[in-house]
């Protein structure tokens, strides 16, 4: 029968309650006939006499048949042999009472078992329950038990028959299925949660994100993308995404080809990066986008789709456009400033060149009287002071525009410092102050740096100390320190300390600003107020900053340090070489022909006068066109070429001359009033051999010609060039004593002129002083020559 096969296969579910009940009924019939003799052997013998089908059933069913009698403690009548296999305990143990089924029942299930069977007995019903038992090896098994209560008609005895089947494996499978179902449901909930989270993320990122599947069909179109396209719907149906995606435009005016869309390119080409594009909204502003994306591949390299992110760079584009506009405006402003500064430089330096040049020539004239030479010296000092202030303003402008460069060269550092020290020692003595130059014994001698800027830094800082220090003094301390792992470089360390009035803390942060007088508000302090500003910018250019410490009433300390390269003695130029005066040309040499090309008549006359005095043959030209004509006719050896001229400038004239026969042999040196050294390259590129800047000194003219021509000069002898002794100031007490003896009106007028910084009036009044006190007049004049109005004011003031 089919039931036998099913049972052997352990499919207990295929054995219905009806079939089990029928088996139990047949079992009842057999056992009832043996009521008078209820032993195990008797029942076994009777069971053996059953028909073959039921014998096979009882022998092969994988479970336990049992019978208990309805009496106190439910004595066991029968247990089938299968109980041994199921529990590990024999049927005899249950039959003789040494083993009780309730002992096997799991404690947690015992009440459930007793209550369920009790209700079935009371109601004379079949019961069916599943519970746990603990078998001989202490393992837990799940069993299914079906039973029925019966009593034969006309008999007092009643029984409870049942069948127990081990369903542990099936139960575990059921539990596993339940757990699997629960896990699947949980995983599905988590997936839905993650999908919702990712959807929320996608819809809340600022960048637009679009994706397509393996067929190239759009599968993602996030909120930012919709907004970029001007789509109002929050939940745009996927079948409309493609329509919206077609809104991409290449330039805001022309529809893009499909092949140009970044998502399509990423899908086909595997990757796109930083593709600029424009999204034109139907009813709104264009958006500039930067798109990047990749194709999506599985582990085998199969294409799953593509994704592209789009970053809105509209604001950046606007900012760049604004920057470009601002940059163009700034460049235009810089060009205008450069043109203005170039014009100012030319317009100021051109007359200064004539003033300084002619005053120097007249001062060297042996026929000049002492008074004339003094006045010419005043002109020269005033002009040089004006030139210094012009240079300060131009330097500040060039540094601010990034047009200032370092010009390193090898030089003798102690020599430069000693020269500067001598200068300030004299100034200190004139004001009854002390000055100390302290050079470290291990100070490097030869270094390679920009000596001009180092000199200017020192002069600016020392001048500042000298200007504001009224008593005590100031000092310059210099040392060099080695740099680890850099044997060819040292650190130049500079300190300048004074005993001046000090700088209030609230002013310290402003002292390096242009046109600010450090820690002093008096209008009697001369200068442009640019010294410290230029110093700070020079130091930043050289790779350092300046540090300052100051205490009001005690003084100020400036500290500077920056790296400089060590140099060898070979090739080092002296920074203060004696410059003898040229008085003529040595006889027996070529009759040198010099052409002076200059549109300014005063400067042209100055240069011609210098050259004529030395003995050169000189011709002149007012512009570049005349210069080309003169060259053709006269074939000069050397040309002084002004750059800025009408008709034809120096660039054009030089180019044309170089193209003429003999033009490659003539020496051409540009002479210009421009202070911008960046013009040097363009001048040299035009064909000039060198560039000389106005205002020039006589020795620069002669040295330059000696460099480019084989010319020999006659110089003034040492006896002839010996200068008068340097004037020394009087003792302060003596000066004040002499001032007190001056006429009251003269003294009052002189004090007013000094207070107003009126140089011309001061010199005129000093001439009156010279008539009565020549010794005092010389000292007062020296203070005015040096623009030292602080000391002069102190000399004239009443104590």
């Amino acid at each position: 029968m089919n039931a036998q096969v099913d049972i052997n296969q352990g499919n207990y579910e295929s054995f219905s309650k009806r079939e089990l009940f029928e088996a139990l009924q047949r079992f009842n019939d057999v056992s009832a006939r043996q009521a008078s003799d209820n032993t195990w052997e008797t029942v076994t013998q009777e069971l053996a006499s059953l028909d073959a089908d039921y014998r096979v059933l009882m022998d092969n069913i994988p479970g336990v048949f049992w019978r208990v009698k309805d009496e106190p403690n439910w004595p066991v009548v029968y247990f089938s042999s299968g109980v041994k296999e199921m529990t590990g305990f024999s049927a005899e143990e249950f039959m003789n009472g040494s083993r009780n089924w309730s002992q096997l029942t799991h404690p947690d299930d015992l009440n459930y078992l007793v209550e369920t069977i009790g209700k079935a007995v009371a109601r004379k019903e079949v019961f069916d329950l599943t519970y746990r038992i603990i078998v001989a090896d202490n393992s837990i098994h799940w069993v299914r038990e079906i039973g029925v209560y019966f009593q034969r008609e006309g008999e007092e005895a009643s029984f409870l028959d049942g069948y127990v089947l081990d369903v542990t494996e099936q139960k575990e499978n059921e539990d596993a299925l339940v757990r699997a179902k629960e896990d699947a449901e949980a995983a599905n909930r988590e997936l839905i949660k993650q999908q919702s989270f990712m959807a929320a993320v996608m819809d809340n990122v600022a960048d637009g994100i679009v994706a397509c599947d393996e067929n190239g069909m759009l599968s993602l179109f996030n909120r930012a993308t919709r907004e970029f396209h001007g789509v109002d719907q929050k939940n745009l149906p996927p079948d409309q995404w493609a329509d919206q995606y077609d809104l991409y435009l290449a330039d805001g005016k022309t529809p893009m080809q499909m092949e140009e869309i970044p998502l399509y390119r990423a899908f086909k080409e595997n990757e796109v990066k930083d593709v600029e594009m424009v999204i034109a909204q139907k009813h709104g502003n264009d958006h500039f986008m930067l798109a990047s994306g990749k194709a999506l591949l599985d582990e085998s390299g199969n294409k799953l789709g593509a994704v592209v992110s789009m970053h809105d760079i509209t604001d950046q584009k606007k900012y760049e456009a604004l920057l470009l506009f601002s940059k163009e405006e700034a460049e235009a402003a810089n060009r205008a400033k450069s043109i203005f500064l170039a014009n100012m430089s030319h317009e100021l330096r051109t007359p200064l060149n004539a003033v300084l040049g002619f005053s120097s020539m007249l001062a060297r004239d042996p026929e000049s009287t002492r008074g004339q030479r003094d006045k010419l010296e005043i002109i020269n000092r005033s002009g040089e002071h004006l030139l210094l202030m012009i240079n300060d303003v131009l330097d500040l402008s060039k540094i601010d525009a990034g047009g200032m460069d370092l010009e390193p060269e090898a030089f003798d550092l102690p020599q430069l410092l000693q020269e500067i020290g001598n200068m300030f020692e004299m100034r200190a003595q004139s004001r009854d102050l002390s000055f100390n130059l302290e050079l470290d014994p291990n100070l490097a001698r030869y270094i390679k740096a920009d000596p001009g800027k180092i000199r200017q830094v020192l002069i600016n800082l020392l001048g500042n100390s000298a200007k504001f220090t009224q008593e005590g003094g100031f000092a310059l301390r210099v040392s060099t320190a080695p740099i680890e792992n850099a044997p060819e470089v040292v650190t130049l360390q500079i300190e300048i300390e004074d005993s001046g009035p000090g700088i209030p803390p609230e002013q310290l942060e402003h002292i390096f600003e242009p046109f600010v007088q450090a820690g002093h508000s008096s209008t009697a302090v001369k200068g442009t107020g640019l010294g410290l500003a230029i110093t700070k910018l020079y130091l930043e250019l050289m790779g350092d900053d300046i540090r300052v410490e100051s205490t009001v009433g005690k003084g100020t300390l400036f500290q500077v340090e920056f790296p400089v390269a060590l140099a060898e003695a070979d090739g080092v130029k002296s920074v203060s070489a004696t410059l003898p005066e040229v008085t003529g040309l040595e006889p027996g040499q070529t009759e040198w022909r010099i052409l002076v090309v200059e549109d300014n008549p005063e400067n042209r006359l100055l240069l011609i006068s210098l050259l004529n005095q030395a003995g050169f043959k000189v011709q002149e030209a007012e512009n570049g066109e005349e210069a080309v004509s003169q060259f053709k006719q006269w074939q000069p050896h050397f040309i002084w070429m002004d750059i800025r001229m009408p008709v034809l400038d120096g660039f054009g004239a030089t180019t044309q001359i170089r193209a003429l026969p003999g033009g490659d042999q003539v020496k051409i040196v540009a002479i210009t009033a421009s202070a911008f050294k960046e013009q040097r390259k363009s001048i040299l590129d035009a064909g000039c051999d060198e560039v000389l800047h106005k205002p020039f000194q006589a020795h620069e003219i002669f040295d330059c010609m000696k460099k480019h021509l084989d010319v020999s000069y006659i110089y003034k002898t040492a006896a002839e060039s010996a200068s008068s002794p340097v004037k020394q100031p009087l003792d302060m007490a003596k000066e004040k004593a002499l001032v007190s003896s001056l006429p009251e009106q003269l003294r009052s007028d002189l004090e007013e002129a000094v207070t107003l910084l009126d140089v011309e009036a001061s010199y005129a009044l000093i001439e009156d002083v010279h008539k009565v006190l020549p010794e005092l007049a010389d000292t007062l004049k020296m203070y005015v020559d040096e623009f030292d109005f602080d000391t002069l004011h102190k000399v004239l003031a009443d104590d």
Side-chain angles (χ1 to χ4, degrees):
M1 57 185 290
N2 291 335
Q4 181 181 357
V5 177
D6 292 336
I7 291 171
N8 287 335
Q9 292 178 346
N11 188 355
Y12 76 93
E13 290 291 350
S14 67
F15 206 60
S16 69
K17 289 182 181 180
R18 182 184 58 79
E19 292 175 303
L20 289 173
F21 185 73
E22 288 178 354
L24 287 172
Q25 287 289 77
R26 189 63 179 272
F27 174 64
N28 288 337
D29 291 341
V30 174
S31 60
R33 291 197 297 270
Q34 301 297 326
S36 60
D37 187 1
N38 196 21
T39 64
W40 171 258
E41 291 80 1
T42 303
V43 174
T44 303
Q45 292 173 4
E46 181 65 25
L47 288 174
S49 67
L50 291 173
D51 58 79
D53 288 340
Y54 282 97
R55 189 173 64 249
V56 171
L57 173 65
M58 305 303 278
D59 289 342
N60 291 281
I61 192 167
V64 178
F65 281 98
W66 56 263
R67 167 171 282 181
V68 295
K69 194 172 184 179
D70 184 8
E71 292 180 358
N73 298 324
W74 295 93
V76 175
V77 175
Y78 173 76
F79 258 91
S80 65
S81 60
V83 73
K84 175 70 173 178
E85 182 179 354
M86 179 183 294
T87 67
F89 303 110
S90 68
E92 291 178 302
E93 291 180 80
F94 291 97
M95 291 290 291
N96 62 25
S98 62
R99 184 72 56 187
N100 189 299
W101 187 262
S102 62
Q103 294 173 340
L104 276 62
T105 305
H106 193 287
D108 292 345
D109 297 345
L110 185 58
N111 288 339
Y112 162 67
L113 177 67
V114 172
E115 289 177 3
T116 302
I117 294 177
K119 290 179 181 179
V121 170
R123 298 172 184 173
K124 306 296 190 292
E125 296 176 346
V126 176
F127 61 86
D128 185 349
L129 69 162
T130 303
Y131 59 97
R132 290 167 292 177
I133 61 172
I134 302 174
V135 299
D137 63 2
N138 289 322
S139 61
I140 298 175
H141 287 234
W142 282 92
V143 296
R144 180 186 179 188
E145 184 171 14
I146 299 174
V148 61
Y149 179 87
F150 76 92
Q151 184 178 26
R152 289 188 181 278
E153 187 176 352
E155 296 182 4
E156 294 182 3
S158 57
F159 302 91
L160 190 62
D161 290 345
Y163 171 71
V164 181
L165 181 65
D166 191 327
V167 295
T168 302
E169 183 178 351
Q170 290 78 6
K171 181 63 174 175
E172 289 177 349
N173 290 339
E174 286 179 354
D175 291 346
L177 288 174
V178 171
R179 288 195 299 271
K181 181 180 179 182
E182 291 174 347
D183 290 345
E185 290 174 350
N188 188 52
R189 288 193 299 272
E190 183 63 26
L191 178 61
I192 294 173
K193 180 180 177 182
Q194 290 180 1
Q195 289 174 340
S196 298
F197 175 77
M198 290 305 299
V201 170
M202 288 296 179
D203 268 356
N204 283 279
V205 294
D207 286 352
I209 299 176
V210 292
C212 65
D213 60 19
E214 66 275 13
N215 298 314
M217 298 298 294
L218 282 169
S219 57
L220 175 63
F221 204 74
N222 75 333
R223 178 186 54 80
T225 308
R226 297 194 298 271
E227 290 180 353
F228 293 153
H229 287 87
V231 179
D232 296 330
Q233 296 94 329
K234 292 184 178 180
N235 298 303
L236 186 69
D239 58 0
Q240 296 182 25
W241 290 353
D243 294 337
Q244 302 302 329
Y245 201 63
D246 287 340
L247 293 175
Y248 283 123
L249 303 183
D251 55 9
K253 305 298 179 185
T254 307
M256 292 182 68
Q257 299 297 321
M258 183 65 180
E259 290 76 10
E260 297 175 351
I261 296 176
L263 182 62
Y264 180 88
R265 287 182 54 191
F267 185 72
K268 293 296 184 183
E269 302 170 14
N270 291 333
E271 183 176 10
V272 292
K273 188 174 183 180
D274 296 338
V275 176
E276 287 197 15
M277 57 186 297
V278 178
I279 296 177
Q281 296 182 352
K282 290 180 178 178
H283 306 289
N285 298 320
D286 293 350
H287 282 263
F288 292 86
M289 314 299 293
L290 194 65
S292 298
K294 287 186 176 182
L296 303 175
L297 307 175
D298 63 15
E299 295 180 354
S300 301
N302 299 316
K303 194 167 293 185
L304 303 177
V307 62
V308 167
S309 66
M310 297 174 293
H311 183 64
D312 192 342
I313 56 172
T314 305
D315 291 341
Q316 177 184 333
K317 284 291 186 181
K318 291 178 180 177
Y319 181 68
E320 288 174 355
L322 179 61
L323 280 183
L324 180 61
F325 177 74
S326 301
K327 180 182 178 182
E328 290 174 350
E329 280 196 329
E331 289 174 350
N334 277 333
R335 286 193 297 270
K337 183 171 74 172
S338 296
I339 293 172
F340 170 76
L341 291 174
N343 289 334
M344 287 297 296
S345 172
H346 185 272
E347 296 303 321
L348 292 172
R349 288 171 179 267
T350 296
L352 268 178
N353 185 60
V355 171
L356 295 175
F358 280 120
S359 62
S360 296
M361 287 182 64
L362 291 173
R364 294 194 300 271
D365 190 338
E367 296 184 4
S368 297
T369 65
R370 180 178 181 278
Q372 289 173 334
R373 285 196 295 273
D374 287 344
K375 290 180 175 62
L376 290 169
E377 185 180 348
I378 292 169
I379 294 173
N380 244 321
R381 287 180 181 275
S382 299
E384 288 175 357
H385 181 68
L386 179 59
L387 178 62
L388 179 63
M389 290 190 291
I390 293 171
N391 288 339
D392 280 351
V393 174
L394 292 175
D395 281 353
L396 186 66
S397 299
K398 286 189 287 184
I399 294 171
D400 184 55
M404 178 68 72
D405 296 318
L406 293 175
E407 299 179 7
E409 63 179 69
F411 65 95
D412 188 322
L413 177 60
Q415 184 183 27
L416 173 67
L417 297 172
Q418 194 62 56
E419 179 186 280
I420 295 173
N422 292 340
M423 180 193 311
F424 281 93
E425 185 174 11
M426 294 176 60
R427 185 178 298 187
Q429 289 177 356
S430 71
R431 300 183 55 201
D432 198 23
L433 299 172
S434 66
F435 172 74
N436 293 320
L437 175 62
E438 303 172 14
L439 304 183
D440 187 272
N442 298 318
L443 180 70
R445 180 169 183 182
Y446 302 115
I447 65 171
K448 186 173 184 180
D450 189 326
K453 290 182 177 59
I454 293 177
R455 179 187 179 91
Q456 191 63 47
V457 165
L458 293 174
I459 289 176
N460 287 350
L461 292 176
L462 288 168
N464 193 71
S465 292
K467 183 190 302 182
F468 296 115
T469 302
Q470 302 299 321
E471 57 183 27
F474 55 102
L476 168 61
R477 294 186 285 270
V478 185
S479 62
T480 49
I483 298 177
E484 188 176 357
N485 300 324
E488 298 180 356
V489 182
V490 295
T491 298
L492 180 59
Q493 300 170 324
I494 300 171
E495 288 188 353
I496 295 174
E497 188 170 15
D498 64 58
S499 60
I503 305 170
E506 64 272 12
Q507 293 186 20
L508 275 177
E509 59 181 300
H510 301 296
I511 63 173
F512 296 107
E513 297 174 4
F515 310 110
V516 173
Q517 295 285 357
H520 203 291
S521 59
S522 172
T523 57
V525 178
K526 67 180 186 292
T528 61
L530 294 175
L532 289 181
I534 292 174
T535 296
K536 187 176 189 299
L537 292 171
Y538 275 176
L539 289 171
E540 290 175 352
L541 193 64
M542 290 187 282
D544 187 39
D545 201 353
I546 185 169
R547 292 160 294 285
V548 57
E549 299 175 5
S550 187
T551 303
V552 175
K554 293 187 177 180
T556 302
L557 171 67
F558 289 97
Q559 293 177 309
V560 171
E561 62 177 41
F562 52 89
V564 295
L566 295 173
E568 300 294 335
D570 298 343
V572 172
K573 295 182 179 180
S574 172
V575 295
S576 58
T578 303
L579 302 172
E581 181 182 342
V582 173
T583 60
L585 298 173
E586 287 189 355
Q589 57 183 311
T590 301
E591 190 176 69
W592 301 107
R593 298 186 299 276
I594 312 299
L595 176 61
V596 175
V597 186
E598 168 68 72
D599 67 314
N600 183 275
E602 291 82 7
N603 281 295
R604 191 167 67 247
L605 176 61
L606 170 63
L607 191 51
I608 291 172
S609 300
L610 279 174
L611 297 173
N612 281 335
Q613 284 183 1
F616 290 101
K617 296 296 181 182
V618 184
Q619 287 195 11
E620 59 184 286
E622 293 186 13
N623 56 61
E625 191 174 89
E626 289 185 10
V628 174
S629 177
Q630 288 276 22
F631 177 80
K632 292 177 181 178
Q633 298 174 10
W634 196 48
Q635 291 290 306
H637 299 96
F638 191 102
I639 300 176
W640 285 107
M641 180 71 73
D642 188 22
I643 292 299
R644 188 171 177 177
M645 296 181 295
V647 185
L648 181 65
D649 63 16
F651 291 106
T654 300
T655 301
Q656 291 188 27
I657 290 172
R658 290 300 189 198
L660 295 172
D664 58 340
Q665 300 297 319
V666 64
K667 301 299 180 181
I668 304 177
V669 174
I671 187 164
T672 175
S674 172
F676 295 96
K677 294 184 178 180
E678 55 267 26
Q679 289 186 347
R680 176 181 177 84
K681 184 178 185 303
S682 58
I683 292 174
L684 296 178
D685 289 344
C688 293
D689 296 288
E690 195 173 333
V691 181
L692 191 67
H693 293 272
K694 302 174 186 176
F696 54 75
Q697 297 185 28
H699 72 85
E700 293 178 292
I701 296 295
F702 295 125
D703 288 349
C704 182
M705 297 178 69
K706 182 178 179 63
K707 174 182 176 182
H708 293 283
L709 297 175
D710 189 20
V711 61
S712 299
Y713 297 118
I714 299 174
Y715 296 97
K716 184 179 288 188
T717 63
E720 293 172 328
S721 59
S723 59
S724 58
V726 177
K727 298 176 183 177
Q728 297 292 333
L730 298 173
D731 177 80
M732 179 68 73
K734 185 175 182 180
E735 291 172 358
K736 294 184 75 65
L738 291 173
V739 166
S740 64
S741 64
L742 287 174
E744 185 64 30
Q745 188 60 48
L746 177 57
R747 176 179 174 176
S748 177
D749 292 344
L750 184 57
E751 188 171 1
E752 181 180 0
V754 169
T755 302
L756 295 174
L757 302 180
D758 191 333
V759 177
E760 184 178 353
S762 297
Y763 279 128
L765 291 168
I766 289 173
E767 288 292 328
D768 293 338
V769 173
H770 195 275
K771 296 175 184 177
V772 292
L773 292 171
E775 184 181 16
L776 176 62
D778 289 342
T779 296
L780 298 180
K781 177 180 176 298
M782 183 186 66
Y783 288 139
V784 177
D785 290 346
E786 295 182 356
F787 295 90
D788 192 355
F789 285 92
D790 283 345
T791 303
L792 187 54
H793 192 275
K794 185 187 295 186
V795 171
L796 296 173
D798 292 328
D799 292 333

